Amino acid sequence: MNQSNSAEEKLAILEKRLNQTIQSRKQLEDEYQHDWTHFSNMLTQLSYACGGLDQNLDNSLTKLRGLLQRNSGMEQLKPVMAESETHIQSVTHRVQRNLKASHEATLEAIGWLKKQPALNQDARAELQRIIDSTESQHVSVMHYIPLLISLLKYCQRLGHDIVEQPKQDYSQEQKVVVKLIAQLEFTGSTEQQLIALTRQLKGKLTATELLTAMVSLLETIIDGVNLERQSAQNFLLEISQTLGAVQGTLSQSVQERSHYEKDNSTLNQQLKSNVDELNASVQGAQHLETLKQEVAGHLNRLNETLQEKLALENKERQQFERTTSKLTSKLTHFEQQVHHYKQKLAEQKFKSLQDSLTKLPNRAALEERMSVEEQRFKRTREPLSIAVLDIDFFKRINDNFGHSAGDKTLQVIASMLRKAVNEADFVCRYGGEEFVILFPNTSITDAQARLEKACDRIRNIPFKFRSEDIRITVSVGIAELQQVNQSLTSLFDAADKALYEAKRTGRNKIVLASAVSD
């Protein structure tokens, strides 16, 4: 008896230790899963932070994020992590080399500034403070960028003093910059800043003012690009997280399904066993009363097993409905995100093909349309004409009445051109005071007739600037596509040459390319 009690005590102690071990193991597994999830999320965020440094590194980090989101094992992660580590080392070396080269170039620029005789005492003292900050070794970009910003701002303030013979008129350079700004497409605060800078650049600026405006322009563009990049990264991160959640829900559903199948298989085996036992009782029964009792017991067990199976199936169905509802919700949210971003991309593309001032298609849109019309001409051989139009003496309007008057003139003429030609004709603002019109399925004589009507309407527009009545005229060159092997680029050049001839011979007229000698 004592030996029996002793064995039971030992079994109880072993069972207690086993339960403690199981609990400890589960706790370790939970802690490991929590640490792995935290590590995975941090690694994902770091990979996004490293985006844009190098194309090869971006590709490796994208593969790594995909594996992390799918909860892949270390065997799959190791080669991708090794590949990413190699690219990171390469990028690190390049950054260090660039930092060193930038540091040397900065010292050369500072050395050149020190030699300038135009620097006053305050300027030299400020330069010395910048020199002192270069003496320490700048080993990171975040430490080195403030130094470059200080130096750029210093050069901005002193640029007009260190140039021996500064230019007095920068109007041509300002026009070039204004045209370049017109090709930029940003939204929100960046767009408003670009509009303000455009207005500033249309006025007369000193060298210092122009330099300040150019620095502001660069800062605005960089900020705008960073905002667009951040927006895209946030979208991709949100999409990635949504897909990760969907993947997790699907994985959980697969695991639960596996458990249900296992439990269902056990119940099926139990049902089969119950039926076999019932058959055996019937076959071996010798007394009716005994058979009744055995059959009743078997039927009770069968009923219990069937009830368990029914409960399991109901539980599985309810879980399936919950999982389906969760997936539907996440996928609906995913579709909304994608739809919103597609709309945003469509709006950006539309804006990139539209002139912001006249609301006509711009030069980029013209190039796309020319390609389409060229292919159509090769298929159909229908006539195709092109006209290049320029406002006569447009510079006088800007000089005498201001750029706002010039902008208004462009808007009115753009509207008039759109109304004067057919709906199928393509009118765009090519740049500055130039417009281009494509005439599909139109001969040069028909195009000329429409343009005569348009020019006549423009001549009769009652422009009034500062109580002064002004008559605006335009010069036009037209060309027609004649041969299949002729490109629309050469056709445009022919129309442009005809425009030049119209301006050379007195303006306010239409000249056909066929009338211009080579």
Side-chain angles (χ1 to χ4, degrees):
M1 179 67 83
N2 291 335
Q3 291 180 351
S4 176
N5 290 337
S6 177
E8 290 177 357
E9 290 175 357
K10 290 180 179 180
L11 285 174
I13 293 172
L14 287 174
E15 184 179 1
K16 182 178 180 181
R17 290 180 179 176
L18 179 60
N19 290 333
Q20 290 175 345
T21 303
I22 292 173
Q23 290 177 356
S24 298
R25 178 179 176 82
K26 187 177 184 306
Q27 184 178 0
L28 286 173
E29 289 177 350
D30 292 343
E31 291 177 355
Y32 170 78
Q33 185 61 39
H34 177 270
D35 292 342
W36 171 256
T37 301
H38 180 73
F39 168 75
S40 177
N41 291 337
M42 184 182 71
L43 195 57
T44 299
Q45 296 296 332
L46 284 174
S47 70
Y48 279 113
C50 293
L53 293 175
D54 179 81
Q55 183 64 44
N56 293 327
L57 178 58
D58 286 347
N59 294 336
S60 296
L61 293 177
T62 300
K63 289 191 289 185
L64 182 60
R65 286 195 297 270
L67 292 174
L68 289 173
Q69 289 161 5
R70 292 193 293 272
N71 292 324
S72 302
M74 286 303 298
E75 292 300 320
Q76 293 175 291
L77 286 170
K78 281 181 180 179
V80 181
M81 292 178 69
E83 179 185 347
S84 300
E85 184 179 0
T86 301
H87 292 313
I88 288 173
Q89 290 175 351
S90 175
V91 171
T92 301
H93 292 155
R94 270 187 288 157
V95 169
Q96 293 299 327
R97 289 197 300 270
N98 290 338
L99 281 173
K100 182 179 179 182
S102 300
H103 189 71
E104 293 174 352
T106 303
L107 292 177
E108 290 181 5
I110 291 174
W112 179 79
L113 286 171
K114 288 175 64 177
K115 298 177 183 178
Q116 301 307 312
L119 298 182
N120 56 38
Q121 186 174 358
D122 292 339
R124 291 189 181 280
E126 184 178 358
L127 181 60
Q128 186 58 49
R129 286 194 293 272
I130 296 176
I131 293 173
D132 295 339
S133 66
T134 63
E135 293 179 355
S136 61
Q137 292 295 321
H138 298 277
V139 294
S140 72
V141 175
M142 299 309 295
H143 285 91
Y144 194 66
I145 286 179
L147 170 63
L148 292 179
I149 293 175
S150 299
L151 186 59
L152 286 172
K153 289 183 177 179
Y154 179 80
C155 292
Q156 173 187 333
R157 290 193 297 271
L158 300 178
H160 64 287
D161 293 329
I162 61 179
V163 177
E164 294 181 358
Q165 295 180 347
K167 279 181 68 176
Q168 300 299 322
D169 185 11
Y170 296 91
S171 57
Q172 293 301 320
E173 288 82 356
Q174 291 172 216
K175 286 182 178 180
V176 172
V177 176
V178 168
K179 287 184 178 180
L180 291 175
I181 293 177
Q183 298 179 26
L184 298 175
E185 292 296 337
F186 288 100
T187 58
S189 60
T190 304
E191 181 183 20
Q192 297 303 317
Q193 291 173 12
L194 289 175
I195 292 173
L197 283 169
T198 300
R199 292 197 189 102
Q200 184 180 356
L201 288 166
K202 286 182 177 180
K204 189 172 182 180
L205 301 178
T206 64
T208 304
E209 292 171 339
L210 178 58
L211 184 59
T212 303
M214 294 302 295
V215 172
S216 299
L217 174 61
L218 288 174
E219 291 175 345
T220 301
I221 293 173
I222 291 172
D223 290 343
V225 171
N226 286 336
L227 286 173
E228 291 290 337
R229 180 173 175 268
Q230 186 63 46
S231 175
Q233 283 187 341
N234 289 340
F235 170 75
L236 292 175
L237 179 59
E238 193 172 355
I239 291 297
S240 175
Q241 291 173 343
T242 302
L243 290 175
V246 171
Q247 174 71 20
T249 303
L250 288 173
S251 298
Q252 183 181 357
S253 177
V254 170
Q255 292 175 358
E256 291 172 349
R257 179 64 182 171
S258 176
H259 292 315
Y260 286 131
E261 288 179 351
K262 183 178 179 181
D263 293 342
N264 193 46
S265 176
T266 301
L267 289 173
N268 287 335
Q269 290 294 329
Q270 189 172 342
L271 283 172
K272 185 177 182 303
S273 177
N274 291 337
V275 171
D276 290 341
E277 290 175 359
L278 177 61
N279 288 331
S281 297
V282 172
Q283 294 294 331
Q286 296 178 355
H287 302 286
L288 183 59
E289 288 299 325
T290 303
L291 177 61
K292 286 181 179 180
Q293 293 175 0
E294 291 180 354
V295 168
H298 290 311
L299 289 177
N300 285 334
R301 287 192 290 274
L302 275 171
N303 182 58
E304 290 174 359
T305 305
L306 286 172
Q307 290 297 328
E308 289 181 19
K309 183 174 175 62
L310 181 61
L312 178 65
E313 289 177 350
N314 286 334
K315 183 178 180 182
E316 182 181 7
R317 178 178 56 78
Q318 292 171 1
Q319 182 61 40
F320 175 77
E321 290 176 352
R322 286 194 296 270
T323 302
T324 303
S325 176
K326 187 185 295 185
L327 282 174
T328 301
S329 175
K330 292 183 183 300
L331 290 175
T332 300
H333 178 62
F334 177 76
E335 289 176 354
Q336 291 172 348
Q337 289 174 302
V338 173
H339 179 69
H340 172 73
Y341 205 72
K342 284 175 68 176
Q343 280 187 323
K344 186 176 179 181
L345 289 176
E347 291 172 0
Q348 288 182 341
K349 183 177 181 181
F350 176 77
K351 288 185 177 181
S352 70
L353 297 176
Q354 185 187 60
D355 176 57
S356 58
L357 178 64
T358 63
K359 306 306 178 185
L360 289 177
N362 59 16
R363 184 171 178 173
L366 172 66
E367 292 173 354
E368 286 190 9
R369 184 62 179 268
M370 285 175 66
S371 177
V372 172
E373 295 299 340
E374 187 173 356
Q375 296 301 319
R376 181 184 298 172
F377 175 80
K378 291 179 180 179
R379 292 194 310 270
T380 65
R381 307 295 174 86
E382 293 292 335
L384 175 63
S385 300
I386 187 171
V388 183
L389 180 149
D390 186 274
I391 302 175
D392 296 328
F393 304 111
F394 182 73
K395 187 175 182 299
R396 294 181 184 176
I397 299 175
N398 283 331
D399 293 344
N400 296 334
F401 305 105
H403 289 278
S404 59
D407 291 347
K408 185 63 177 177
T409 301
L410 290 170
Q411 291 172 335
V412 172
I413 290 181
S415 176
M416 185 62 67
L417 288 174
R418 182 64 273 172
K419 294 176 182 177
V421 299
N422 290 351
E423 186 176 351
D425 300 333
F426 182 82
V427 184
C428 83
R429 183 187 178 192
Y430 189 73
E433 63 270 24
E434 282 192 348
F435 298 85
V436 175
I437 308 175
L438 282 174
F439 296 92
N441 304 325
T442 306
S443 66
I444 193 169
T445 53
D446 290 339
Q448 182 181 10
R450 293 177 202 169
L451 286 167
E452 290 285 3
K453 180 175 66 174
C455 292
D456 186 59
R457 288 186 178 183
I458 291 172
R459 279 191 291 267
N460 291 304
I461 295 175
F463 284 102
K464 198 179 186 85
F465 304 126
R466 297 178 189 170
S467 301
E468 183 178 347
D469 293 328
I470 302 294
R471 190 182 72 155
I472 304 295
T473 61
V474 296
S475 300
V476 186
I478 319 177
E480 180 182 353
L481 198 59
Q482 300 288 344
Q483 302 173 356
V484 177
N485 59 356
Q486 184 183 7
S487 68
L488 270 183
T489 302
S490 63
L491 185 70
F492 176 87
D493 292 339
D496 194 49
K497 187 174 181 180
L499 168 64
Y500 176 78
E501 182 66 15
K503 298 179 72 171
R504 188 185 68 83
T505 56
R507 293 182 171 84
N508 189 21
K509 62 173 65 175
I510 298 174
V511 173
L512 306 185
S514 56
V516 181
S517 59
D518 293 332

